[in-house]
Amino acid sequence: MTVLADKSLEPHRLTSAQRVLSILGVFDTENLALSLSDISRRTGLTLSTTHRLLNELLRWGALSRHSDGKYSIGLRILELGTLAPQGGQLREIALPYLHDLQHATRGNIHLGVPEGHDVIYVESLRARDTVPVPSRLGGRWPMHATGTGLVLLAHSSQEFQEEVLASKLRRYTDHTLTDPDALRHFLAEVRKSGVAIVQSQLTHDAMAVAVPIRGPRDRVVAAVGITVPLGSPSPHSLVPALAATSRSISRALGAPSAVTDAGVPRQTAHWQVREVKYSSSAGR
Amino acid sequence: MTVLADKSLEPHRLTSAQRVLSILGVFDTENLALSLSDISRRTGLTLSTTHRLLNELLRWGALSRHSDGKYSIGLRILELGTLAPQGGQLREIALPYLHDLQHATRGNIHLGVPEGHDVIYVESLRARDTVPVPSRLGGRWPMHATGTGLVLLAHSSQEFQEEVLASKLRRYTDHTLTDPDALRHFLAEVRKSGVAIVQSQLTHDAMAVAVPIRGPRDRVVAAVGITVPLGSPSPHSLVPALAATSRSISRALGAPSAVTDAGVPRQTAHWQVREVKYSSSAGR
DNA sequence: AGCCCCTTTTCCGTCCAGCGGAAGGGATTT
DNA sequence: AAATCCCTTCCGCTGGACGGAAAAGGGGCT
């Protein structure tokens, strides 16, 4: 427990909004239910402040409380989350195609979108009879360590790619691509071939195939991927099915390049999230 | 849902936490992307306050911003939402069984949990070739108007049931059950038979069959339902499959009554959310 | 062009709401 | 019984959040 509050010369200059958010932020996959004092310790907020805020969050439905007194994320947050355009909305459109893909291939299917240096799985369909991969709906993984992530990275801006390559790239297995030069090479391949095929990036016994999905201005907005057990027949045989799925979804999203015949032009909603720049240093 | 700003003589006595939450609260299925001034108007907050809070939410990832300047719910919220024990966790456990159920029956499958007077769909699997029902993942519907909701209501406490029956029960179609006495009768039937079969509660052309799912102390924690087109062969033929699915999920959740043989006792997590009572009046 | 209206952004002085300390009440352990 | 934890409530003080105002941007219309 390295929870030692650094009370040297930084007496927690937080705005009240940040306090609220910091409470929500203490929940993660390993901490699904926390007590008042847990939360107080982990946020660094005083007990009374934490207590008051927890009650406000509870009343609103952002948190729920269990019979043992612990707090968890509430359903209202789940509900809210489905309103994220790159999340619930995209999922809604893509789901039928993903189902078809799963029927056809019997692999684990992922639909990933970029956030920060990570991919977030907006949908994760698991096959019953294949390798269990560590991928949940809502899961977050570094881009360099997943098939879908590498596809998204390959189609990001040059600066963004370099920014990611310059960061610390965690090695999950001894096959994980972490060398910047090797990655640059690989990303170029992905751009050229339109597909990423990788082995054992995250766990030893799996391989992944992923392709991009395009939205309105033909921008890459997401990626679909299949994960299959390591020694599977031929990952290349999965490419056509993936490509077809990607094309269908892209068309449904209104990607110009995917629109072949005179289909009904779908409503083009608010895709393509602007990269917002903050004064990353200088407090406010 | 009393969103009408009562600007008579109430100069917005809001806590700062409430201000933050009220911003998140303005997003719904009809308002996926809103501008600063939209949000300011709808929350009743001043422009400058809204502006500041939006930036804080943006920086944290609770919101995202589009190229047209509008704001939407961010992926971080989606991610958070999956941490809700009654949501993402339950979904995780139930999903394979729900898939099986869909294969077997080819209907629209719903997994609902109670929140307030409503059901929230924690999973929604749509069949391609059947009636489109208005049910999204994360969707919220009044209990009296859905099959899953009626099941959950039937297994709630007596007081809660009366509380719901006493509230205004919206009529969606002319078949929607809204008469308290008729509902009481129906709920008793559901308790006795263990299944709810209803017609055209929400839309005219559908019928639904739903059964409860039990968790640890055999408490009803969720409900599974199938929705099929109105004149389908026999809804009763769906009951066995539903019952089997329910039992499988209940067992996986650790419901005593569903544990038949010496299966591995699952970890019993924090189910059964306590109903927390607030001093509902007197704003401090 | 120029004009007008609407939106977003920034600045700054005031004031009160949110903060944290402290104390009280349970529950469980030594 | 004392000690230790956790949760809850109360209250006085202060600094940060608030809102007014004005500047900076952005279309659309004549």
Side-chain angles (χ1 to χ4, degrees):
Chain A
M1 43 156 68
T2 60
V3 200
L4 295 182
D6 179 44
K7 46 181 63 174
S8 53
L9 277 180
E10 196 55 38
H12 288 118
R13 285 255 153 276
L14 286 183
T15 68
S16 58
Q18 286 170 333
R19 275 183 264 260
V20 171
L21 295 173
S22 73
I23 287 184
L24 296 178
V26 300
F27 294 93
D28 57 37
T29 45
E30 279 124 46
N31 297 281
L32 294 172
L34 295 167
S35 70
L36 166 63
S37 33
D38 287 340
I39 297 171
S40 169
R41 268 189 297 272
R42 291 174 56 105
T43 54
L45 302 176
T46 63
L47 264 182
S48 45
T49 296
T50 309
H51 183 256
R52 181 173 41 82
L53 292 179
L54 284 176
N55 274 331
E56 299 207 51
L57 288 167
L58 213 51
R59 157 173 277 127
W60 192 78
L63 298 178
S64 64
R65 192 161 194 198
H66 306 265
S67 43
D68 60 1
K70 292 192 172 182
Y71 297 84
S72 290
I73 296 296
L75 286 173
R76 182 109 185 234
I77 298 289
L78 179 77
E79 194 187 350
L80 253 193
T82 61
L83 300 177
Q86 319 101 301
Q89 300 306 109
L90 171 57
R91 173 190 189 274
E92 196 80 354
I93 293 172
L95 195 53
Y97 303 106
L98 298 179
H99 268 140
D100 292 350
L101 181 61
Q102 192 183 35
H103 275 195
T105 63
R106 307 223 143 267
N108 295 301
I109 314 288
H110 297 133
L111 177 62
V113 294
E115 205 206 41
H117 288 194
D118 305 320
V119 206
I120 297 214
Y121 289 140
V122 153
E123 186 50 270
S124 164
L125 298 177
R126 302 214 204 156
R128 295 276 246 134
D129 46 356
T130 181
V131 278
V133 289
S135 57
R136 319 165 13 264
L137 172 65
R140 174 190 289 268
W141 297 98
M143 285 194 177
H144 74 279
T146 68
T148 46
L150 286 164
V151 166
L152 293 173
L153 187 54
H155 293 87
S156 302
S157 73
Q158 192 64 37
E159 315 102 71
F160 181 76
Q161 291 182 34
E162 287 305 324
E163 186 185 321
V164 172
L165 293 186
S167 67
K168 196 184 168 307
L169 301 176
R170 177 164 165 196
R171 170 180 296 273
Y172 291 88
T173 73
D174 42 5
H175 285 86
T176 309
L177 288 168
T178 55
D179 177 60
D181 277 330
L183 270 167
R184 258 184 284 268
H185 192 72
F186 184 82
L187 294 177
E189 282 293 321
V190 171
R191 273 189 296 274
K192 207 165 69 175
S193 65
V195 57
I197 302 182
V198 295
Q199 290 190 11
S200 306
Q201 289 290 296
L202 214 49
T203 58
H204 283 96
D205 45 2
M207 55 193 319
V209 187
V211 299
I213 291 178
R214 294 170 186 277
R217 295 161 22 93
D218 258 345
R219 292 261 308 195
V220 172
V221 295
V224 227
I226 308 186
T227 306
V228 292
L230 192 45
S232 292
S234 169
H236 295 277
S237 67
L238 296 171
V239 175
L242 261 182
T245 303
S246 158
R247 194 178 179 80
S248 298
I249 300 174
S250 297
R251 181 168 48 234
L253 293 178
S257 67
V259 177
T260 52
D261 51 14
V264 184
R266 305 303 185 101
Q267 52 176 358
T268 57
H270 307 270
W271 294 101
Q272 180 184 342
V273 173
R274 164 158 64 136
E275 288 296 328
V276 184
K277 296 182 194 68
Y278 300 103
S279 45
S280 51
S281 59
R284 160 251 296 278
Chain B
M1 40 179 65
T2 57
V3 197
L4 294 181
D6 179 44
K7 46 180 64 173
S8 53
L9 276 179
E10 195 56 37
H12 291 119
R13 286 253 151 276
L14 286 184
T15 67
S16 59
Q18 286 171 334
R19 275 182 264 259
V20 171
L21 294 173
S22 73
I23 287 184
L24 296 179
V26 300
F27 293 94
D28 57 37
T29 44
E30 279 124 48
N31 297 281
L32 295 171
L34 295 166
S35 69
L36 165 64
S37 33
D38 288 339
I39 297 172
S40 169
R41 269 189 297 271
R42 292 175 56 105
T43 56
L45 302 176
T46 62
L47 264 182
S48 43
T49 296
T50 309
H51 183 255
R52 183 174 38 83
L53 292 179
L54 284 177
N55 274 331
E56 300 207 51
L57 289 167
L58 213 50
R59 156 172 277 129
W60 191 79
L63 298 178
S64 64
R65 193 161 194 198
H66 306 264
S67 42
D68 60 1
K70 292 193 173 182
Y71 298 83
S72 290
I73 297 295
L75 286 173
R76 181 110 184 235
I77 297 289
L78 179 76
E79 194 187 352
L80 252 193
T82 61
L83 300 177
Q86 319 100 302
Q89 301 306 108
L90 171 58
R91 173 190 190 273
E92 196 80 353
I93 293 172
L95 196 53
Y97 302 107
L98 298 179
H99 268 139
D100 292 349
L101 180 61
Q102 192 183 36
H103 275 193
T105 64
R106 307 222 142 268
N108 295 301
I109 314 288
H110 297 132
L111 177 62
V113 294
E115 205 206 41
H117 289 194
D118 305 321
V119 206
I120 297 215
Y121 289 140
V122 152
E123 187 50 270
S124 164
L125 299 177
R126 301 213 207 160
R128 295 276 245 134
D129 45 356
T130 180
V131 278
V133 289
S135 56
R136 320 163 15 261
L137 173 64
R140 174 190 289 267
W141 297 98
M143 286 194 177
H144 74 280
T146 68
T148 46
L150 286 164
V151 166
L152 293 173
L153 187 54
H155 293 87
S156 302
S157 72
Q158 193 63 37
E159 314 101 71
F160 181 77
Q161 290 181 36
E162 288 304 323
E163 185 186 322
V164 172
L165 293 186
S167 68
K168 198 183 166 309
L169 301 177
R170 176 163 167 198
R171 171 180 295 273
Y172 291 89
T173 74
D174 42 7
H175 284 86
T176 309
L177 289 167
T178 55
D179 177 61
D181 278 329
L183 270 166
R184 260 185 283 267
H185 193 73
F186 183 82
L187 294 177
E189 281 293 321
V190 171
R191 274 189 296 275
K192 207 165 69 176
S193 65
V195 58
I197 302 182
V198 294
Q199 291 191 10
S200 306
Q201 290 289 294
L202 215 48
T203 58
H204 283 94
D205 45 4
M207 54 192 319
V209 187
V211 299
I213 291 178
R214 295 169 185 278
R217 296 163 18 95
D218 257 345
R219 293 261 308 196
V220 172
V221 295
V224 225
I226 308 186
T227 306
V228 292
L230 192 44
S232 291
S234 168
H236 295 276
S237 66
L238 296 171
V239 175
L242 260 182
T245 302
S246 158
R247 194 177 180 80
S248 298
I249 300 174
S250 297
R251 181 169 46 235
L253 293 178
S257 67
V259 178
T260 52
D261 52 14
V264 185
R266 305 303 184 101
Q267 52 177 359
T268 58
H270 307 271
W271 295 98
Q272 180 184 341
V273 174
R274 164 157 63 136
E275 288 297 327
V276 185
K277 295 180 194 68
Y278 301 102
S279 47
S280 52
S281 61
R284 160 242 303 276

